[in-house]
Amino acid sequence: MKQSDFLKAVLPFKDKVFRLAKRLLVSTEEAEDATQELYFKLWKNKQKLSEYKNVEAFAMTMTKNYCFDRLKSKQASNLTLIHSNYKEKDTGLDKQVEHNDSVEKVHKLIEDLPEQQKIIIQLRDIEQYSFDEIAKMVDMKPTAIRVALSRARKTIREALIKQHNYGVS
Amino acid sequence: MELANIEKLVEKYLNAETTLQEEKTLSAYFASENVASHLQEYSYMFGYFKKSKDETFNKTIQLEPRKTKRKNWKWLQVAASVVLLISMYAGYGEYEHRQQEKQLAQVTEALKLLSTNLNKGNQAVASLYTYEDTVNKIFKTK
């Protein structure tokens, strides 16, 4: 596989890899490192790459596993702690919309979800993968994914309603 | 899209039963201006999902790993230990060598002392010979 072919095959989903890594690792720098690391690995295994039917799903699985490894290692857990302190500044979403605060809250709510629900919300609601694709990526049955997704969506919604009501009264 | 329809979809959405197409419909509805007030929270959710998708990875991807600092440190460690070993070996050799020289000097000095004393003894013996010779001259034995 030549470099140009390789890049053509793997570059289209670099943003998705980055966003999934950021969802799990919180800090932008960590996520950038993770993305870079993933592409090293893909390039190293470029011979095997053509054997996989769905390179993108494979890459997402690798990203997920890599991020879990990072989170397990102590070094990373220290880093995420530091970064979550000033995270609010660098989320970088535009501030023009008036209900921006509530939108920002969704970010925090997702952050509080269990890891698995976080991944599934990311893959489904943000990246809009089909359940079959997600099943391949996280190695779960589609029904289990639906259950987790439903739970995550309900948790977020209920928390939003709660915050909203507190805000009014 | 009618509100009743949206409500149905929202219900399905919460149970994770919507298709991607239906979720797109919901997303479009909640991005619009006239969202029903009792469904307001969904507009935050879909608003966030939409914005999150805009985030991109802007750094250039390198396929060949740069030589990391960690690697350099490893090499430095190896090099340092090798240098230490060599210098220990050389230093020990030098030490041995000096020790031997010192011992040699001591031995030579001791031997010299011995030889001078031996020579003294020899002279004494030589003077004994002269005594004997004179005695023999005088008495002329046979």
Side-chain angles (χ1 to χ4, degrees), chain A residues 14-15 18-19 22-23 32 36 40 43 94 100 102 107 124-126 146 150 153-154 157 161, chain B residues 13-16 18 20 23 41-42 44 48 51-53 55-57 59 62-65:
Chain A
K14 73 171 165 51
D15 293 332
F18 173 65
R19 287 192 293 252
K22 195 178 171 190
R23 175 72 56 208
E32 281 167 356
Q36 179 63 71
F40 281 163
W43 176 242
D94 71 58
N100 195 51
S102 298
H107 182 83
R124 177 67 182 192
D125 278 334
I126 295 166
R146 278 176 203 270
S150 165
R153 283 172 175 171
K154 281 175 182 165
R157 176 185 173 236
I161 290 173
Chain B
Y13 172 78
L14 275 190
N15 293 323
T18 37
L20 284 175
E23 279 166 28
E41 67 270 17
Y42 293 103
Y44 304 144
Y48 175 73
K51 272 186 184 173
S52 295
K53 220 188 168 178
E55 200 169 8
T56 54
F57 181 77
K59 291 198 167 177
Q62 288 166 321
L63 295 179
E64 302 301 333

mmCIF file of all heavy atoms in Angstrom, chain A residues 14-15 18-19 22-23 32 36 40 43 94 100 102 107 124-126 146 150 153-154 157 161, chain B residues 13-16 18 20 23 41-42 44 48 51-53 55-57 59 62-65:
data_model
loop_
_atom_site.group_PDB
_atom_site.id
_atom_site.type_symbol
_atom_site.label_atom_id
_atom_site.label_comp_id
_atom_site.label_asym_id
_atom_site.label_seq_id
_atom_site.Cartn_x
_atom_site.Cartn_y
_atom_site.Cartn_z
ATOM 1 N N LYS A 14 -10.305 11.149 10.287
ATOM 2 C CA LYS A 14 -9.396 11.644 11.325
ATOM 3 C C LYS A 14 -10.113 12.517 12.362
ATOM 4 O O LYS A 14 -9.809 12.454 13.547
ATOM 5 C CB LYS A 14 -8.219 12.393 10.712
ATOM 6 C CG LYS A 14 -8.535 13.763 10.133
ATOM 7 C CD LYS A 14 -7.244 14.464 9.762
ATOM 8 C CE LYS A 14 -7.401 15.665 8.868
ATOM 9 N NZ LYS A 14 -8.346 16.696 9.226
ATOM 10 N N ASP A 15 -11.099 13.293 11.897
ATOM 11 C CA ASP A 15 -11.824 14.139 12.851
ATOM 12 C C ASP A 15 -12.657 13.302 13.810
ATOM 13 O O ASP A 15 -12.772 13.624 14.991
ATOM 14 C CB ASP A 15 -12.734 15.115 12.102
ATOM 15 C CG ASP A 15 -11.913 16.119 11.304
ATOM 16 O OD1 ASP A 15 -10.777 16.391 11.727
ATOM 17 O OD2 ASP A 15 -12.404 16.602 10.274
ATOM 18 N N PHE A 18 -10.386 11.900 16.349
ATOM 19 C CA PHE A 18 -9.997 12.965 17.278
ATOM 20 C C PHE A 18 -11.121 13.272 18.268
ATOM 21 O O PHE A 18 -10.894 13.399 19.467
ATOM 22 C CB PHE A 18 -9.637 14.212 16.468
ATOM 23 C CG PHE A 18 -9.392 15.425 17.313
ATOM 24 C CD1 PHE A 18 -8.329 15.475 18.195
ATOM 25 C CD2 PHE A 18 -10.238 16.524 17.222
ATOM 26 C CE1 PHE A 18 -8.103 16.596 18.968
ATOM 27 C CE2 PHE A 18 -10.023 17.651 17.989
ATOM 28 C CZ PHE A 18 -8.956 17.686 18.860
ATOM 29 N N ARG A 19 -12.329 13.373 17.756
ATOM 30 C CA ARG A 19 -13.452 13.711 18.646
ATOM 31 C C ARG A 19 -13.742 12.605 19.651
ATOM 32 O O ARG A 19 -14.036 12.881 20.818
ATOM 33 C CB ARG A 19 -14.701 14.007 17.802
ATOM 34 C CG ARG A 19 -14.602 15.343 17.082
ATOM 35 C CD ARG A 19 -15.930 15.751 16.491
ATOM 36 N NE ARG A 19 -16.327 14.865 15.405
ATOM 37 C CZ ARG A 19 -16.325 15.219 14.120
ATOM 38 N NH1 ARG A 19 -15.975 16.431 13.776
ATOM 39 N NH2 ARG A 19 -16.700 14.373 13.189
ATOM 40 N N LYS A 22 -11.110 12.832 22.211
ATOM 41 C CA LYS A 22 -11.313 13.971 23.100
ATOM 42 C C LYS A 22 -12.465 13.727 24.075
ATOM 43 O O LYS A 22 -12.404 14.134 25.228
ATOM 44 C CB LYS A 22 -11.582 15.236 22.283
ATOM 45 C CG LYS A 22 -11.429 16.461 23.155
ATOM 46 C CD LYS A 22 -11.625 17.746 22.438
ATOM 47 C CE LYS A 22 -11.669 18.850 23.472
ATOM 48 N NZ LYS A 22 -12.093 20.119 22.917
ATOM 49 N N ARG A 23 -13.474 13.043 23.578
ATOM 50 C CA ARG A 23 -14.598 12.712 24.456
ATOM 51 C C ARG A 23 -14.109 11.888 25.643
ATOM 52 O O ARG A 23 -14.533 12.089 26.778
ATOM 53 C CB ARG A 23 -15.638 11.926 23.641
ATOM 54 C CG ARG A 23 -16.802 11.400 24.420
ATOM 55 C CD ARG A 23 -17.761 12.476 24.861
ATOM 56 N NE ARG A 23 -18.265 13.268 23.736
ATOM 57 C CZ ARG A 23 -18.660 14.530 23.856
ATOM 58 N NH1 ARG A 23 -18.621 15.122 25.017
ATOM 59 N NH2 ARG A 23 -19.069 15.201 22.810
ATOM 60 N N GLU A 32 -5.101 14.954 20.678
ATOM 61 C CA GLU A 32 -4.241 15.108 19.497
ATOM 62 C C GLU A 32 -3.150 14.048 19.489
ATOM 63 O O GLU A 32 -2.861 13.433 18.464
ATOM 64 C CB GLU A 32 -3.616 16.502 19.486
ATOM 65 C CG GLU A 32 -4.563 17.566 18.986
ATOM 66 C CD GLU A 32 -4.084 18.983 19.259
ATOM 67 O OE1 GLU A 32 -3.035 19.147 19.919
ATOM 68 O OE2 GLU A 32 -4.763 19.913 18.805
ATOM 69 N N GLN A 36 -2.612 11.129 16.682
ATOM 70 C CA GLN A 36 -1.310 10.928 16.050
ATOM 71 C C GLN A 36 -0.833 9.490 16.251
ATOM 72 O O GLN A 36 -0.380 8.824 15.322
ATOM 73 C CB GLN A 36 -0.323 11.933 16.666
ATOM 74 C CG GLN A 36 1.082 11.846 16.137
ATOM 75 C CD GLN A 36 1.141 12.174 14.660
ATOM 76 O OE1 GLN A 36 0.976 13.307 14.243
ATOM 77 N NE2 GLN A 36 1.374 11.154 13.858
ATOM 78 N N PHE A 40 0.099 6.437 13.526
ATOM 79 C CA PHE A 40 1.366 5.668 13.517
ATOM 80 C C PHE A 40 1.057 4.191 13.419
ATOM 81 O O PHE A 40 1.637 3.461 12.623
ATOM 82 C CB PHE A 40 2.141 5.860 14.831
ATOM 83 C CG PHE A 40 2.891 7.153 14.921
ATOM 84 C CD1 PHE A 40 3.325 7.606 16.162
ATOM 85 C CD2 PHE A 40 3.189 7.896 13.795
ATOM 86 C CE1 PHE A 40 4.012 8.785 16.271
ATOM 87 C CE2 PHE A 40 3.873 9.085 13.896
ATOM 88 C CZ PHE A 40 4.288 9.531 15.149
ATOM 89 N N TRP A 43 -0.355 3.053 10.122
ATOM 90 C CA TRP A 43 0.669 3.066 9.079
ATOM 91 C C TRP A 43 1.622 1.886 9.251
ATOM 92 O O TRP A 43 2.043 1.261 8.286
ATOM 93 C CB TRP A 43 1.421 4.396 9.136
ATOM 94 C CG TRP A 43 2.567 4.518 8.171
ATOM 95 C CD1 TRP A 43 3.877 4.686 8.482
ATOM 96 C CD2 TRP A 43 2.507 4.511 6.733
ATOM 97 N NE1 TRP A 43 4.628 4.774 7.342
ATOM 98 C CE2 TRP A 43 3.814 4.669 6.254
ATOM 99 C CE3 TRP A 43 1.454 4.375 5.819
ATOM 100 C CZ2 TRP A 43 4.118 4.693 4.894
ATOM 101 C CZ3 TRP A 43 1.760 4.400 4.454
ATOM 102 C CH2 TRP A 43 3.071 4.559 4.017
ATOM 103 N N ASP A 94 -18.804 28.312 19.592
ATOM 104 C CA ASP A 94 -19.071 29.751 19.500
ATOM 105 C C ASP A 94 -20.163 30.197 20.480
ATOM 106 O O ASP A 94 -21.070 29.448 20.853
ATOM 107 C CB ASP A 94 -19.384 30.165 18.056
ATOM 108 C CG ASP A 94 -20.733 29.651 17.612
ATOM 109 O OD1 ASP A 94 -21.744 29.987 18.281
ATOM 110 O OD2 ASP A 94 -20.790 28.912 16.624
ATOM 111 N N ASN A 100 -26.586 29.160 24.764
ATOM 112 C CA ASN A 100 -25.289 28.505 24.745
ATOM 113 C C ASN A 100 -24.934 27.817 26.064
ATOM 114 O O ASN A 100 -24.367 26.735 26.079
ATOM 115 C CB ASN A 100 -24.230 29.548 24.407
ATOM 116 C CG ASN A 100 -22.939 28.885 24.021
ATOM 117 O OD1 ASN A 100 -22.934 28.007 23.170
ATOM 118 N ND2 ASN A 100 -21.873 29.266 24.666
ATOM 119 N N SER A 102 -26.767 26.348 28.277
ATOM 120 C CA SER A 102 -27.398 25.042 28.424
ATOM 121 C C SER A 102 -26.770 24.025 27.506
ATOM 122 O O SER A 102 -26.617 22.862 27.851
ATOM 123 C CB SER A 102 -28.891 25.152 28.137
ATOM 124 O OG SER A 102 -29.466 26.022 29.078
ATOM 125 N N HIS A 107 -22.350 19.166 27.522
ATOM 126 C CA HIS A 107 -20.975 18.653 27.491
ATOM 127 C C HIS A 107 -20.589 18.063 28.841
ATOM 128 O O HIS A 107 -20.060 16.960 28.927
ATOM 129 C CB HIS A 107 -20.029 19.800 27.125
ATOM 130 C CG HIS A 107 -18.600 19.374 27.027
ATOM 131 N ND1 HIS A 107 -18.083 18.794 25.897
ATOM 132 C CD2 HIS A 107 -17.589 19.410 27.929
ATOM 133 C CE1 HIS A 107 -16.813 18.503 26.095
ATOM 134 N NE2 HIS A 107 -16.478 18.866 27.317
ATOM 135 N N ARG A 124 -23.118 7.606 18.170
ATOM 136 C CA ARG A 124 -24.444 7.658 17.573
ATOM 137 C C ARG A 124 -24.913 9.093 17.363
ATOM 138 O O ARG A 124 -25.205 9.519 16.256
ATOM 139 C CB ARG A 124 -25.447 6.915 18.478
ATOM 140 C CG ARG A 124 -26.874 6.964 18.005
ATOM 141 C CD ARG A 124 -27.060 6.192 16.726
ATOM 142 N NE ARG A 124 -28.446 6.270 16.244
ATOM 143 C CZ ARG A 124 -28.937 5.501 15.287
ATOM 144 N NH1 ARG A 124 -28.155 4.607 14.705
ATOM 145 N NH2 ARG A 124 -30.182 5.627 14.901
ATOM 146 N N ASP A 125 -24.986 9.869 18.422
ATOM 147 C CA ASP A 125 -25.626 11.176 18.316
ATOM 148 C C ASP A 125 -24.729 12.222 17.678
ATOM 149 O O ASP A 125 -25.212 13.179 17.087
ATOM 150 C CB ASP A 125 -26.080 11.648 19.700
ATOM 151 C CG ASP A 125 -27.418 11.010 20.068
ATOM 152 O OD1 ASP A 125 -28.162 10.671 19.145
ATOM 153 O OD2 ASP A 125 -27.688 10.849 21.267
ATOM 154 N N ILE A 126 -23.438 12.064 17.804
ATOM 155 C CA ILE A 126 -22.567 13.051 17.193
ATOM 156 C C ILE A 126 -22.041 12.572 15.839
ATOM 157 O O ILE A 126 -22.141 13.267 14.842
ATOM 158 C CB ILE A 126 -21.429 13.434 18.150
ATOM 159 C CG1 ILE A 126 -22.023 14.121 19.379
ATOM 160 C CG2 ILE A 126 -20.430 14.362 17.463
ATOM 161 C CD1 ILE A 126 -21.103 14.268 20.526
ATOM 162 N N ARG A 146 -28.522 -0.260 22.247
ATOM 163 C CA ARG A 146 -29.758 0.511 22.362
ATOM 164 C C ARG A 146 -30.091 0.808 23.832
ATOM 165 O O ARG A 146 -30.471 1.920 24.185
ATOM 166 C CB ARG A 146 -30.928 -0.243 21.725
ATOM 167 C CG ARG A 146 -30.992 -0.057 20.228
ATOM 168 C CD ARG A 146 -32.110 -0.896 19.658
ATOM 169 N NE ARG A 146 -31.891 -1.195 18.258
ATOM 170 C CZ ARG A 146 -32.336 -0.429 17.264
ATOM 171 N NH1 ARG A 146 -33.017 0.662 17.535
ATOM 172 N NH2 ARG A 146 -32.093 -0.742 16.018
ATOM 173 N N SER A 150 -30.215 4.511 25.243
ATOM 174 C CA SER A 150 -31.463 5.004 25.808
ATOM 175 C C SER A 150 -31.223 5.543 27.217
ATOM 176 O O SER A 150 -31.699 6.626 27.582
ATOM 177 C CB SER A 150 -32.485 3.866 25.826
ATOM 178 O OG SER A 150 -33.555 4.195 26.654
ATOM 179 N N ARG A 153 -29.340 8.884 26.984
ATOM 180 C CA ARG A 153 -30.183 9.990 26.528
ATOM 181 C C ARG A 153 -31.131 10.443 27.639
ATOM 182 O O ARG A 153 -31.325 11.636 27.865
ATOM 183 C CB ARG A 153 -30.990 9.545 25.308
ATOM 184 C CG ARG A 153 -30.153 9.521 24.032
ATOM 185 C CD ARG A 153 -30.923 8.896 22.904
ATOM 186 N NE ARG A 153 -30.179 8.963 21.641
ATOM 187 C CZ ARG A 153 -30.555 8.333 20.533
ATOM 188 N NH1 ARG A 153 -31.655 7.604 20.520
ATOM 189 N NH2 ARG A 153 -29.846 8.437 19.430
ATOM 190 N N LYS A 154 -31.703 9.446 28.331
ATOM 191 C CA LYS A 154 -32.638 9.803 29.401
ATOM 192 C C LYS A 154 -31.928 10.537 30.527
ATOM 193 O O LYS A 154 -32.463 11.508 31.086
ATOM 194 C CB LYS A 154 -33.324 8.545 29.930
ATOM 195 C CG LYS A 154 -34.449 8.085 29.030
ATOM 196 C CD LYS A 154 -35.041 6.769 29.499
ATOM 197 C CE LYS A 154 -36.130 6.297 28.553
ATOM 198 N NZ LYS A 154 -36.466 4.884 28.762
ATOM 199 N N ARG A 157 -31.304 14.101 29.476
ATOM 200 C CA ARG A 157 -32.541 14.881 29.407
ATOM 201 C C ARG A 157 -33.035 15.232 30.806
ATOM 202 O O ARG A 157 -33.385 16.394 31.087
ATOM 203 C CB ARG A 157 -33.604 14.089 28.656
ATOM 204 C CG ARG A 157 -34.917 14.802 28.644
ATOM 205 C CD ARG A 157 -36.014 13.998 28.022
ATOM 206 N NE ARG A 157 -37.260 14.723 28.215
ATOM 207 C CZ ARG A 157 -38.328 14.214 28.811
ATOM 208 N NH1 ARG A 157 -38.290 12.975 29.263
ATOM 209 N NH2 ARG A 157 -39.416 14.927 28.957
ATOM 210 N N ILE A 161 -33.611 18.948 32.471
ATOM 211 C CA ILE A 161 -34.901 19.432 32.993
ATOM 212 C C ILE A 161 -34.733 19.917 34.432
ATOM 213 O O ILE A 161 -35.211 20.981 34.816
ATOM 214 C CB ILE A 161 -35.959 18.307 32.924
ATOM 215 C CG1 ILE A 161 -36.310 18.041 31.461
ATOM 216 C CG2 ILE A 161 -37.212 18.695 33.702
ATOM 217 C CD1 ILE A 161 -37.216 16.844 31.271
ATOM 218 N N TYR B 13 -36.970 8.320 20.349
ATOM 219 C CA TYR B 13 -35.553 8.716 20.489
ATOM 220 C C TYR B 13 -35.030 8.358 21.880
ATOM 221 O O TYR B 13 -33.941 7.820 22.024
ATOM 222 C CB TYR B 13 -35.430 10.213 20.235
ATOM 223 C CG TYR B 13 -34.062 10.771 20.527
ATOM 224 C CD1 TYR B 13 -33.015 10.589 19.627
ATOM 225 C CD2 TYR B 13 -33.804 11.472 21.706
ATOM 226 C CE1 TYR B 13 -31.749 11.083 19.896
ATOM 227 C CE2 TYR B 13 -32.548 11.977 21.982
ATOM 228 C CZ TYR B 13 -31.533 11.781 21.073
ATOM 229 O OH TYR B 13 -30.284 12.268 21.356
ATOM 230 N N LEU B 14 -35.830 8.651 22.890
ATOM 231 C CA LEU B 14 -35.404 8.352 24.265
ATOM 232 C C LEU B 14 -35.207 6.855 24.470
ATOM 233 O O LEU B 14 -34.359 6.429 25.247
ATOM 234 C CB LEU B 14 -36.440 8.868 25.261
ATOM 235 C CG LEU B 14 -36.318 10.323 25.662
ATOM 236 C CD1 LEU B 14 -37.246 10.602 26.830
ATOM 237 C CD2 LEU B 14 -34.886 10.679 26.058
ATOM 238 N N ASN B 15 -35.995 6.058 23.758
ATOM 239 C CA ASN B 15 -35.842 4.609 23.892
ATOM 240 C C ASN B 15 -34.819 4.042 22.915
ATOM 241 O O ASN B 15 -34.682 2.826 22.794
ATOM 242 C CB ASN B 15 -37.194 3.929 23.675
ATOM 243 C CG ASN B 15 -38.158 4.280 24.788
ATOM 244 O OD1 ASN B 15 -37.760 4.387 25.942
ATOM 245 N ND2 ASN B 15 -39.418 4.505 24.438
ATOM 246 N N ALA B 16 -34.136 4.926 22.244
ATOM 247 C CA ALA B 16 -33.118 4.538 21.271
ATOM 248 C C ALA B 16 -33.689 3.648 20.174
ATOM 249 O O ALA B 16 -33.101 2.662 19.781
ATOM 250 C CB ALA B 16 -31.934 3.855 21.948
ATOM 251 N N THR B 18 -35.105 5.220 17.332
ATOM 252 C CA THR B 18 -35.183 6.010 16.099
ATOM 253 C C THR B 18 -34.115 5.560 15.107
ATOM 254 O O THR B 18 -33.046 5.109 15.487
ATOM 255 C CB THR B 18 -34.974 7.501 16.390
ATOM 256 O OG1 THR B 18 -33.998 7.613 17.429
ATOM 257 C CG2 THR B 18 -36.234 8.184 16.804
ATOM 258 N N LEU B 20 -31.485 6.623 11.907
ATOM 259 C CA LEU B 20 -30.639 7.800 11.673
ATOM 260 C C LEU B 20 -31.427 8.883 10.954
ATOM 261 O O LEU B 20 -31.259 10.076 11.227
ATOM 262 C CB LEU B 20 -29.409 7.400 10.857
ATOM 263 C CG LEU B 20 -28.323 6.656 11.637
ATOM 264 C CD1 LEU B 20 -27.218 6.207 10.706
ATOM 265 C CD2 LEU B 20 -27.737 7.560 12.732
ATOM 266 N N GLU B 23 -33.599 10.668 13.335
ATOM 267 C CA GLU B 23 -32.811 11.545 14.195
ATOM 268 C C GLU B 23 -32.427 12.827 13.461
ATOM 269 O O GLU B 23 -32.307 13.891 14.068
ATOM 270 C CB GLU B 23 -31.569 10.794 14.696
ATOM 271 C CG GLU B 23 -31.926 9.893 15.881
ATOM 272 C CD GLU B 23 -30.849 8.882 16.227
ATOM 273 O OE1 GLU B 23 -29.668 9.154 15.961
ATOM 274 O OE2 GLU B 23 -31.203 7.821 16.776
ATOM 275 N N GLU B 41 -35.459 21.192 26.264
ATOM 276 C CA GLU B 41 -34.197 20.526 26.625
ATOM 277 C C GLU B 41 -33.567 19.775 25.442
ATOM 278 O O GLU B 41 -32.345 19.673 25.342
ATOM 279 C CB GLU B 41 -34.401 19.575 27.810
ATOM 280 C CG GLU B 41 -35.258 18.362 27.542
ATOM 281 C CD GLU B 41 -36.738 18.607 27.828
ATOM 282 O OE1 GLU B 41 -37.136 19.782 27.930
ATOM 283 O OE2 GLU B 41 -37.492 17.625 27.936
ATOM 284 N N TYR B 42 -34.419 19.303 24.528
ATOM 285 C CA TYR B 42 -33.865 18.567 23.382
ATOM 286 C C TYR B 42 -33.088 19.483 22.455
ATOM 287 O O TYR B 42 -32.137 19.064 21.806
ATOM 288 C CB TYR B 42 -34.978 17.858 22.606
ATOM 289 C CG TYR B 42 -35.617 16.752 23.396
ATOM 290 C CD1 TYR B 42 -36.854 16.928 23.998
ATOM 291 C CD2 TYR B 42 -34.956 15.540 23.558
ATOM 292 C CE1 TYR B 42 -37.428 15.919 24.732
ATOM 293 C CE2 TYR B 42 -35.528 14.525 24.302
ATOM 294 C CZ TYR B 42 -36.763 14.716 24.882
ATOM 295 O OH TYR B 42 -37.311 13.727 25.621
ATOM 296 N N TYR B 44 -31.193 21.805 23.369
ATOM 297 C CA TYR B 44 -29.829 21.901 23.909
ATOM 298 C C TYR B 44 -29.013 20.687 23.501
ATOM 299 O O TYR B 44 -27.861 20.804 23.091
ATOM 300 C CB TYR B 44 -29.857 21.987 25.441
ATOM 301 C CG TYR B 44 -30.679 23.115 25.994
ATOM 302 C CD1 TYR B 44 -31.401 22.968 27.171
ATOM 303 C CD2 TYR B 44 -30.716 24.341 25.334
ATOM 304 C CE1 TYR B 44 -32.157 24.003 27.686
ATOM 305 C CE2 TYR B 44 -31.474 25.395 25.841
ATOM 306 C CZ TYR B 44 -32.198 25.215 27.011
ATOM 307 O OH TYR B 44 -32.929 26.231 27.512
ATOM 308 N N TYR B 48 -25.953 20.774 20.978
ATOM 309 C CA TYR B 48 -24.605 20.361 21.379
ATOM 310 C C TYR B 48 -24.030 19.322 20.426
ATOM 311 O O TYR B 48 -22.879 19.414 20.017
ATOM 312 C CB TYR B 48 -24.614 19.805 22.809
ATOM 313 C CG TYR B 48 -23.271 19.269 23.201
ATOM 314 C CD1 TYR B 48 -22.213 20.132 23.484
ATOM 315 C CD2 TYR B 48 -23.032 17.901 23.231
ATOM 316 C CE1 TYR B 48 -20.966 19.642 23.798
ATOM 317 C CE2 TYR B 48 -21.787 17.402 23.545
ATOM 318 C CZ TYR B 48 -20.751 18.278 23.838
ATOM 319 O OH TYR B 48 -19.523 17.793 24.131
ATOM 320 N N LYS B 51 -22.872 20.968 17.229
ATOM 321 C CA LYS B 51 -21.648 21.753 17.388
ATOM 322 C C LYS B 51 -20.442 20.864 17.570
ATOM 323 O O LYS B 51 -19.360 21.142 17.060
ATOM 324 C CB LYS B 51 -21.768 22.635 18.630
ATOM 325 C CG LYS B 51 -22.407 23.951 18.336
ATOM 326 C CD LYS B 51 -22.342 24.805 19.572
ATOM 327 C CE LYS B 51 -23.050 26.112 19.353
ATOM 328 N NZ LYS B 51 -23.122 26.858 20.604
ATOM 329 N N SER B 52 -20.628 19.781 18.312
ATOM 330 C CA SER B 52 -19.505 18.895 18.578
ATOM 331 C C SER B 52 -18.947 18.325 17.290
ATOM 332 O O SER B 52 -17.763 18.059 17.174
ATOM 333 C CB SER B 52 -19.952 17.736 19.462
ATOM 334 O OG SER B 52 -20.326 18.236 20.701
ATOM 335 N N LYS B 53 -19.820 18.163 16.326
ATOM 336 C CA LYS B 53 -19.356 17.552 15.081
ATOM 337 C C LYS B 53 -18.489 18.517 14.274
ATOM 338 O O LYS B 53 -17.802 18.106 13.337
ATOM 339 C CB LYS B 53 -20.547 17.088 14.244
ATOM 340 C CG LYS B 53 -20.241 15.761 13.594
ATOM 341 C CD LYS B 53 -21.264 15.307 12.619
ATOM 342 C CE LYS B 53 -20.669 14.127 11.852
ATOM 343 N NZ LYS B 53 -21.596 13.569 10.897
ATOM 344 N N GLU B 55 -15.979 20.151 15.405
ATOM 345 C CA GLU B 55 -14.604 20.193 15.882
ATOM 346 C C GLU B 55 -13.727 19.300 15.004
ATOM 347 O O GLU B 55 -14.072 18.156 14.741
ATOM 348 C CB GLU B 55 -14.545 19.719 17.333
ATOM 349 C CG GLU B 55 -13.285 20.175 18.006
ATOM 350 C CD GLU B 55 -13.341 19.941 19.516
ATOM 351 O OE1 GLU B 55 -14.279 19.293 19.981
ATOM 352 O OE2 GLU B 55 -12.413 20.404 20.178
ATOM 353 N N THR B 56 -12.596 19.852 14.582
ATOM 354 C CA THR B 56 -11.747 19.064 13.676
ATOM 355 C C THR B 56 -10.331 18.965 14.197
ATOM 356 O O THR B 56 -9.901 19.739 15.044
ATOM 357 C CB THR B 56 -11.690 19.709 12.276
ATOM 358 O OG1 THR B 56 -11.285 21.062 12.442
ATOM 359 C CG2 THR B 56 -13.017 19.626 11.576
ATOM 360 N N PHE B 57 -9.650 17.991 13.644
ATOM 361 C CA PHE B 57 -8.235 17.783 13.974
ATOM 362 C C PHE B 57 -7.413 18.551 12.956
ATOM 363 O O PHE B 57 -7.426 18.236 11.770
ATOM 364 C CB PHE B 57 -7.927 16.284 13.907
ATOM 365 C CG PHE B 57 -6.516 15.953 14.255
ATOM 366 C CD1 PHE B 57 -6.093 15.933 15.570
ATOM 367 C CD2 PHE B 57 -5.603 15.636 13.256
ATOM 368 C CE1 PHE B 57 -4.792 15.611 15.890
ATOM 369 C CE2 PHE B 57 -4.300 15.321 13.580
ATOM 370 C CZ PHE B 57 -3.898 15.303 14.908
ATOM 371 N N LYS B 59 -4.015 19.495 13.183
ATOM 372 C CA LYS B 59 -2.565 19.286 13.080
ATOM 373 C C LYS B 59 -2.267 18.355 11.925
ATOM 374 O O LYS B 59 -3.109 17.548 11.532
ATOM 375 C CB LYS B 59 -2.051 18.672 14.378
ATOM 376 C CG LYS B 59 -2.114 19.635 15.531
ATOM 377 C CD LYS B 59 -1.215 19.145 16.633
ATOM 378 C CE LYS B 59 -1.024 20.242 17.660
ATOM 379 N NZ LYS B 59 -0.218 19.787 18.783
ATOM 380 N N GLN B 62 1.751 12.903 11.145
ATOM 381 C CA GLN B 62 3.049 12.369 10.710
ATOM 382 C C GLN B 62 2.993 10.860 10.750
ATOM 383 O O GLN B 62 2.518 10.277 11.712
ATOM 384 C CB GLN B 62 4.147 12.870 11.637
ATOM 385 C CG GLN B 62 4.424 14.338 11.414
ATOM 386 C CD GLN B 62 5.239 14.907 12.534
ATOM 387 O OE1 GLN B 62 5.044 14.567 13.689
ATOM 388 N NE2 GLN B 62 6.168 15.762 12.182
ATOM 389 N N LEU B 63 3.484 10.245 9.691
ATOM 390 C CA LEU B 63 3.415 8.785 9.641
ATOM 391 C C LEU B 63 4.669 8.138 10.211
ATOM 392 O O LEU B 63 4.623 7.023 10.702
ATOM 393 C CB LEU B 63 3.197 8.323 8.208
ATOM 394 C CG LEU B 63 1.849 8.759 7.641
ATOM 395 C CD1 LEU B 63 1.688 8.308 6.209
ATOM 396 C CD2 LEU B 63 0.704 8.197 8.478
ATOM 397 N N GLU B 64 5.789 8.853 10.092
ATOM 398 C CA GLU B 64 7.014 8.313 10.694
ATOM 399 C C GLU B 64 7.184 8.961 12.053
ATOM 400 O O GLU B 64 7.222 10.181 12.159
ATOM 401 C CB GLU B 64 8.231 8.624 9.822
ATOM 402 C CG GLU B 64 8.112 8.074 8.404
ATOM 403 C CD GLU B 64 7.930 6.574 8.353
ATOM 404 O OE1 GLU B 64 8.387 5.886 9.294
ATOM 405 O OE2 GLU B 64 7.310 6.075 7.394
ATOM 406 N N PRO B 65 7.277 8.147 13.075
ATOM 407 C CA PRO B 65 7.411 8.722 14.417
ATOM 408 C C PRO B 65 8.681 9.551 14.553
ATOM 409 O O PRO B 65 9.748 9.156 14.052
ATOM 410 C CB PRO B 65 7.438 7.507 15.335
ATOM 411 C CG PRO B 65 7.661 6.333 14.459
ATOM 412 C CD PRO B 65 7.256 6.691 13.081
#
